[in-house]
Amino acid sequence: MGHYSAKQKEKIILKFRESKTKAKNFVKSYGISDQTLLNWCKKYDQSGIDGLGAPNSADKEELIILRNEVKELKKKMPN
């Protein structure tokens, strides 16, 4: 399967935790790796459902600005 929304990821995490089965066995029907599921669980534990979604457009814009600033600073640094 392809891309999952944050809400879908949350449902999968909750089902996984209820199932009491190993990640490797649980993920087979979802088309994801066990490592992906475990990463989702970690993000969910740290930030809740907000940690499962894609960065919003404001975050993306800020990231682009910061990357450009880093490039400019690197250009100014002596080698």
Side-chain angles (χ1 to χ4, degrees):
M1 267 201 95
H3 179 76
Y4 286 97
S5 71
K7 192 68 181 164
Q8 290 170 318
K9 291 176 186 178
E10 181 183 44
K11 286 180 181 179
I12 292 169
I13 291 166
L14 296 175
K15 282 183 183 179
F16 167 62
R17 290 184 171 166
E18 286 177 14
S19 74
K20 308 274 194 231
T21 61
K22 293 185 178 186
K24 279 189 177 189
N25 297 329
F26 182 83
V27 296
K28 290 178 182 176
S29 62
Y30 293 99
I32 58 173
S33 71
D34 57 328
Q35 191 57 53
T36 295
L37 176 61
L38 296 174
N39 287 339
W40 290 354
C41 289
K42 183 177 178 182
K43 289 178 183 180
Y44 185 73
D45 291 342
Q46 291 172 343
S47 304
I49 194 167
D50 291 337
L52 300 174
N56 64 34
S57 60
D59 290 341
K60 288 179 186 176
E61 187 175 323
E62 183 179 9
L63 181 60
I64 291 168
I65 291 168
L66 291 171
R67 284 181 178 164
N68 288 334
E69 288 177 4
V70 168
K71 284 180 190 176
E72 291 302 314
L73 290 170
K74 283 183 178 180
K75 287 180 187 176
K76 293 178 183 179
M77 290 177 63
N79 290 332

